[in-house]
Amino acid sequence: MDITLAVNGRQVTASIEANTLLSALLREGLALTGTHVACDTSQCGACTVLVDGASVKSCTLLAAEAAGATVVTIEGLAADGALHPMQQAFHDEHGLQCGFCTPGMVMSAVDLVAGNPDPSEAEIRAWLKGNICRCTGYQNIVKAICAGAAALRSA
Amino acid sequence: MTQDGIGAPLRRKEDRRFLTGRGRYVHDIVRPGQLYAVFLRSPHAHAEILGIDTRPALAGTGVVAVYTAADTAGKINGVPCAWGIAGKDGKPMKEPPHPPLALGKVRHVGDPVAMVVAESLAAARNAAELVQVSYKVLPAVTGVADAVKPGAPQLYDDVPGNLCCDWAVGDKAKTDAAFAKAHHVARLDLVNNRLVPNAMESRAALAEYEPATGDYTLYTSTQLPHVARVLLGVLMLGIPERKFRVVAPDVGGGFGSKQVVYAEEALVTWAAGQLERPVKWVAERSEAFLSDAQGRDHVTHAELALDKDGKFLGLRVATLANIGGYVSTFGPNIPTNLYGPLLAGAYTTPAIYCEVKVVFSNTVPTDAYRGAGRPEATYVLERIVDVAARDLGLDRVDIRRRNFIAKDAYPYQTPVMLQYDTGDHAATLARALDLSGWSGFAARRAGAASRGKLRGIGIVTYIEACGLAPSRIAQQLGARGGLFESANIRVNPSGDVSVFTGAHSHGQGHETVFAQLVGELLGVPSANVEVVHGDTARSPFGLGTYGSRSAAVGGAALFKAAGKIIDKGKKIAAALLEASEQDIEFKNGAFMVAGTDRAKSFVEIAGAAYTPPPSYPLETLEPGLEETAFYDPVNFTYPGGCHVAEVEIDPETGVTTLVAYTAVDDVGTVLNPMIVEGQVHGGVVQGVGQALCEDCVYDPESGQLLSGSFMDYCMPRADDLPVIVSATESTVSAHNPIGVKGCGETGTIASPATVMNAVVDALAAYGISHVDMPASPQRIWRAIQAAAPRAAAE
């Protein structure tokens, strides 16, 4: 089947199988390999992207369900070569180590602060329930999201 | 010092690609015409393979090849072990063959039986289901205590009792004598639970072959590309190094599980050669659970002999260590050489004897997992010290202080092989007590009690061995290769610098830290230093990254190479400045004639090296400015420190919450405090995972892995954790020229024991003296229920 969707500001038409996952379309069909697949059971959140503004685990959404939607992946966050404030905050606060969970963490954080511009530490930690990081112990990710939220508030 | 040199919290150079989705992991690499491999794995823990019919699979659409042991036998050698050990009797360990595809028998659920290669992943998956394997299922044994029992199922005909090796360290007679004069003996039986490393990037391998030249390239998620090239290429496949390039691009975490070489890596390489097309394999998560080397899995009995003042007289430890179905790359070395010699810890215990039975079972092989042997040793020692303190009515801090190796007693020779270089346990202890608010705990416990919660505090003082390793010592202990590290520094004609290291970064930040180090040494801004790693075609032969070795060994190699650059720079400067080489000083990035203002900048010297001016003595001095160094350490490094944890337990539900954690570590010279802190956070949390939730469980009857996904294997999440307070309190290592000790594993080594000491402290009122990990709600609730009637009766 053919579907059309907007990915990172670009209209894309793709020929997919009915069982193609959004993560597979992004990674294999569109070569947007920043979206990572790490657990196969919707636990880890490395595949998180924004679909119509909401963070979604793209390994758990059929690509067909994203037909007509606006999708933003980690590749679509930086504008004109400048890091998005949340990306910048992860850099500033050392919120990443091996980098594999990072795209999902950043996308999830962007959605959090869109709905809750000034989240408490507890709210951030609760929000990150669906994102697993094995390297950082989360502490600097939490710090980064606090800092990213502050930067976005003052932007 | 340069602004962004040693000690600066420089932000990471590697971040931008990861933050913008431009990381390049093996998962992400696509080669033209690539095929997809899927492995059919054993559904049984122990079975004979009676026959395999691949014809239905071969008939599948898009299927290119199906391989079994019948195809690979004689073509691919067994998966090798890089570190053999010898038993008490001096005889080598039992090392049965480890065929890349199961030959005749499967020995754990997940043992690879066939490889299907197809035009698409879906075709390969479908075809794998069509491979018909007939098995004769055999009784299986998964628990290490069961595996050594008489009558246990035997994995190998020629390995009686499933005993790979009966190993020991220390002086048994001296230790027995110490126990004979003891005032008190503390005793403890414990289990160190099996863990699954679970790097977020599952293992993956993509191989290609160029028929015109016979060259192979393997992209693989490994921590040690050069070692993999030798073990996979030379030993397994018969491909010489010059024809085999191994690339470890961005690697999404390793934690030891990727310092192992695996059958799948050899098989895709071989298949690429057979089929003359690229072959790619990416492990699914469930497959990772069944095939990545796992960690820990000990059953231990320990005894600590003390005099009437609480001084430790002797320590006796007997451990059964489960190494799974096969000897893994470093498998038997982990619960022996990296365990027994660590049992002295931070204390002056004069006599120690440790014996370890290294045992096969029908489980996934075990190997290094963050800390690798040292968390297990620290857990035994720091738990039994707490038991002893309670037995004798001594304060837990006091008993540790009484037994510390004093700062001025370093270098200190332990009774179990190691000679520690430096340390100051009193200092790390004092800092941790202060930062954790140890003295104010009683009020916090009372506050928790008023909320119906049991609050406990735990403390650990530890020392560990890092910086693997002096080749001479390692080889005496069975290593089948050196353990040095390499560095190449190429000063480019314009004066910027390319650094090539044999170490590998999979999250540690070498691209930043090594740039800081080299930048500082050469007086160049770190922004002008590019660090290259992870490609055997680019870096000199090195041993890779594990055992907190990169800074201590790889950094020292860089120091040596930088010294050679400076030496040559002085020669060039002497010629250009018409001065004697002895009069040239290198300071602040410039070569100057001592006592004068005559100088040449680093950039000018680099330019002259590549565009020699008339005064350059080409007859006696080669052009160019590039140096290679190999550094073999004289000894391990010995990070240490003190950690404190506080937990609250809900006695109604058994839920344990970690409410505070303090880590004070002596990691030697701190090259980048931001990165050290990040390593400590991550390390602590992995250990907290072991203590509170992670547990790799096999069904004892069927041998099936019950914790085979992220839904069943519980890892810490952000909301399980408090803010970790961390600090460094460093003594400079005497064992390498930059004074670093290592920080990658300290957290994981100290935190399981720290958390469990807090858990047991919280339960002390119930008379509970030990609980095994993980302190799951079920286990804690049961312990309370079992103890409550007793406590009530007393």
Side-chain angles (χ1 to χ4, degrees), chain B residues 635-654:
Chain B
N635 196 335
F636 300 95
T637 59
Y638 298 97
C642 177
H643 288 205
V644 176
E646 284 186 47
V647 299
E648 281 191 6
I649 294 175
D650 182 341
E652 299 297 319
T653 62

Side-chain angles (χ1 to χ4, degrees), chain B residues 59 61 78 106 144 182 195 319 352 482 524 533 686:
Chain B
T61 311
V106 288
V144 69
L195 303 176
T319 291
I352 298 173
V524 173
H533 63 95
Q686 273 183 330

Side-chain angles (χ1 to χ4, degrees), chain B residues 15-97:
Chain B
D15 283 356
R16 191 175 177 98
R17 66 178 188 271
F18 297 130
L19 283 165
T20 54
R22 299 286 175 183
R24 187 167 177 259
Y25 303 88
V26 179
H27 287 215
D28 305 333
I29 299 173
V30 178
R31 301 300 297 161
Q34 78 183 19
L35 298 166
Y36 297 81
V38 163
F39 290 92
L40 178 68
R41 296 178 182 277
S42 170
H44 304 296
H46 198 193
E48 274 177 47
I49 298 173
L50 301 175
I52 305 176
D53 185 358
T54 60
R55 287 168 300 179
L58 274 167
T61 311
V63 176
V64 176
V66 182
Y67 300 114
T68 69
D71 304 294
T72 58
K75 311 255 179 53
I76 310 179
N77 292 321
V79 185
C81 173
W83 194 314
I85 57 167
K88 286 179 203 166
D89 56 6
K91 289 188 186 148
M93 67 181 188
K94 300 275 196 219
E95 192 174 350

Side-chain angles (χ1 to χ4, degrees), chain B residues 195 208 250 290 324 328 483 585 757:
Chain B
L195 303 176
E208 56 187 337
D250 289 326
L290 296 174
S328 180
L483 280 170
E585 283 179 349
N757 281 349

Side-chain angles (χ1 to χ4, degrees), chain B residues 283-320:
Chain B
E284 295 183 2
R285 183 55 61 182
S286 58
E287 195 176 15
F289 271 96
L290 296 174
S291 65
D292 291 2
Q294 300 178 347
R296 320 285 191 251
D297 202 346
H298 290 192
V299 173
T300 293
H301 175 74
E303 299 179 345
L304 180 65
L306 302 98
D307 73 10
K308 60 178 178 17
D309 299 320
K311 285 281 282 182
F312 306 156
L313 302 174
L315 177 68
R316 212 154 39 194
V317 174
T319 291
L320 299 172

Side-chain angles (χ1 to χ4, degrees), chain A residues 27 33-34 36-41 43-44 74-75 78 81-83 87 90-94 96-103 106 121 125-126 128-140 142-143, chain B residues 11-12 15-16 18-21 23 25 27-28 196-198 200-201 251-253 255 284-286 369-370 506-507 674-675 678-679 681-682 685-686 694 709-711 713 715-719 721-724:
Chain A
R27 289 182 52 81
T33 55
H36 296 153
V37 176
C39 74
D40 304 320
T41 50
Q43 292 290 304
C44 79
I74 190 73
E75 289 92 343
L83 293 180
Q87 291 171 312
F90 271 69
H91 175 65
D92 292 342
E93 301 297 336
H94 189 31
L96 65 154
Q97 291 183 23
C98 84
F100 204 79
C101 77
T102 307
V106 172
E121 188 203 322
R125 287 184 182 270
L128 291 180
K129 238 182 200 324
N131 291 77
I132 298 178
C133 172
R134 198 60 163 158
C135 293
T136 65
Y138 302 100
Q139 189 152 320
N140 288 347
V142 174
K143 262 170 87 176
Chain B
R11 291 341 190 223
R12 298 200 321 170
D15 283 356
R16 191 175 177 98
F18 297 130
L19 283 165
T20 54
Y25 303 88
H27 287 215
D28 305 333
V196 183
N198 278 325
M200 292 308 293
E201 177 213 28
V251 172
F255 315 116
E284 295 183 2
R285 183 55 61 182
S286 58
Y369 171 56
R370 200 168 190 171
H506 30 280
M674 176 192 80
I675 284 181
Q679 289 291 313
H681 291 167
V685 169
Q686 273 183 330
E694 295 185 35
S709 78
F710 283 2
M711 293 188 290
Y713 184 87
M715 291 180 289
R717 311 234 177 184
D719 62 343
L721 300 159
V723 170
I724 296 160

Side-chain angles (χ1 to χ4, degrees), chain B residues 410-488:
Chain B
Y410 284 92
Y412 181 82
Q413 178 63 53
T414 76
V416 272
M417 298 202 287
L418 302 176
Q419 192 190 62
Y420 299 155
D421 56 350
T422 59
D424 187 349
H425 302 291
T428 51
L429 173 69
R431 185 91 181 272
L433 293 178
D434 179 40
L435 287 176
S436 66
W438 179 273
S439 60
F441 174 70
R444 298 193 291 279
R445 170 172 272 178
S450 70
R451 289 178 277 112
K453 299 284 177 65
L454 306 165
R455 189 150 174 144
I457 191 164
I459 191 164
V460 155
T461 51
Y462 76 97
I463 190 165
E464 54 124 341
C466 276
L468 272 58
S471 295
R472 193 79 68 213
I473 297 175
Q475 284 167 351
Q476 281 164 9
L477 299 175
R480 293 166 177 171
L483 280 170
F484 54 84
E485 197 41 85
S486 68
N488 172 275

Side-chain angles (χ1 to χ4, degrees), chain B residues 424-653:
Chain B
D424 187 349
H425 302 291
T428 51
L429 173 69
R431 185 91 181 272
L433 293 178
D434 179 40
L435 287 176
S436 66
W438 179 273
S439 60
F441 174 70
R444 298 193 291 279
R445 170 172 272 178
S450 70
R451 289 178 277 112
K453 299 284 177 65
L454 306 165
R455 189 150 174 144
I457 191 164
I459 191 164
V460 155
T461 51
Y462 76 97
I463 190 165
E464 54 124 341
C466 276
L468 272 58
S471 295
R472 193 79 68 213
I473 297 175
Q475 284 167 351
Q476 281 164 9
L477 299 175
R480 293 166 177 171
L483 280 170
F484 54 84
E485 197 41 85
S486 68
N488 172 275
I489 298 179
R490 179 181 300 161
V491 180
N492 298 308
S494 68
D496 75 354
V497 180
S498 302
V499 169
F500 302 84
T501 172
H504 184 270
S505 181
H506 30 280
Q508 296 89 343
H510 296 168
E511 291 166 40
T512 304
V513 177
F514 284 176
Q516 286 180 265
L517 176 62
V518 171
E520 167 105 19
L521 295 170
L522 299 182
V524 173
S526 64
N528 295 356
V529 181
E530 196 72 20
V531 176
V532 176
H533 63 95
D535 185 343
T536 59
R538 301 187 72 192
S539 295
F541 184 96
L543 279 302
T545 289
Y546 42 85
S548 308
R549 71 189 302 274
S550 292
V553 189
L558 285 165
F559 180 89
K560 258 182 97 173
K564 292 183 182 182
I565 293 280
I566 292 165
D567 286 348
K568 181 159 183 189
K570 284 182 179 174
K571 289 189 171 73
I572 298 170
L576 302 188
L577 294 166
E578 296 178 335
S580 155
E581 190 190 326
Q582 284 71 38
D583 292 337
I584 303 291
E585 283 179 349
F586 180 66
K587 244 174 36 189
N588 302 323
F591 295 87
M592 47 214 310
V593 181
T596 75
D597 58 357
R598 289 193 298 139
K600 288 284 179 189
S601 71
F602 187 81
V603 169
E604 287 174 302
I605 293 298
Y610 292 94
T611 311
S615 57
Y616 194 107
L618 285 166
E619 303 74 18
T620 54
L621 190 62
E622 293 174 17
L625 194 53
E626 172 169 349
E627 297 289 349
T628 299
F630 293 84
Y631 174 79
D632 203 291
V634 294
N635 196 335
F636 300 95
T637 59
Y638 298 97
C642 177
H643 288 205
V644 176
E646 284 186 47
V647 299
E648 281 191 6
I649 294 175
D650 182 341
E652 299 297 319
T653 62

